[in-house]
Amino acid sequence: MLKWLFGKKKVIYPMLAHSRGLSQDIVGEGHFQSDLEQIAGPKEKMSAKYECEATSVCESDTKHDSDAVAVYLGRGQVGHLFREGTKLFREVLVSLIAELSPVNAKAKIVGGWKNDISDGSYGIKLNLKRPLALVKENPK
């Protein structure tokens, strides 16, 4: 896993299919607020709506959850899939590509507003088709 995070070569991972709307919240973004602000830009009056691609990486060596799925934007981690959904995600991932390979998904950074009344944290939502499926490549 560290090789793909810190390696020089850009690796293209399978892309999960998306649908209308953002269907999957990410947890733990509170630990990565400065990273998210660096990506989405500084807080403004209106909430951020920064579209990007996130990479999900299955982790088996985490202290709290042996089925953890970390979420990365670029080369930095920005959260995890919620714990209740990770086992199903991993099972479906294996059925789709026969391994626990990293996969990409459309994502959006939201929140991160600041006005006279309140100051909101950044969050991330993934756009995942249900049931999970891979994007079919266009015939050439």
Side-chain angles (χ1 to χ4, degrees):
M1 178 173 82
L2 293 177
K3 204 180 239 184
W4 79 265
L5 282 175
F6 303 110
K8 300 259 184 213
K9 269 187 175 179
K10 179 169 170 88
V11 179
I12 299 174
Y13 295 107
M15 178 68 113
L16 290 171
H18 60 277
S19 62
R20 289 186 177 183
L22 298 158
S23 62
Q24 180 65 60
D25 287 323
I26 303 304
V27 297
E29 308 103 309
H31 300 286
F32 305 99
Q33 289 297 299
S34 61
D35 299 317
L36 291 169
E37 183 173 4
Q38 199 170 28
I39 295 167
K43 293 182 178 185
E44 297 182 3
K45 279 189 174 184
M46 301 300 288
S47 178
K49 292 180 179 140
Y50 183 85
E51 294 185 12
C52 51
E53 277 186 17
T55 302
S56 296
V57 179
C58 295
E59 298 179 328
S60 298
D61 56 355
T62 59
K63 186 167 86 173
H64 299 292
D65 184 2
S66 62
D67 289 325
V69 178
V71 177
Y72 291 81
L73 293 179
R75 296 191 184 275
Q77 184 178 356
V78 292
H80 283 90
L81 290 184
F82 71 107
R83 187 178 293 193
E84 291 77 22
T86 58
K87 187 171 182 152
L88 175 62
F89 182 89
R90 291 167 76 104
E91 289 171 2
V92 172
L93 189 57
V94 168
S95 73
L96 291 172
I97 57 177
E99 58 184 278
L100 293 175
S101 169
V103 290
N104 288 339
K106 289 191 179 251
K108 189 180 281 190
I109 299 174
V110 296
W113 71 88
K114 185 174 186 174
N115 57 39
D116 295 339
I117 300 168
S118 63
D119 185 353
S121 296
Y122 290 97
I124 305 167
K125 293 182 177 275
L126 298 182
N127 184 330
L128 301 175
K129 183 179 178 183
R130 303 288 185 192
L132 292 177
L134 293 175
V135 171
K136 292 186 174 30
E137 291 187 50
N138 292 331
K140 293 182 180 182

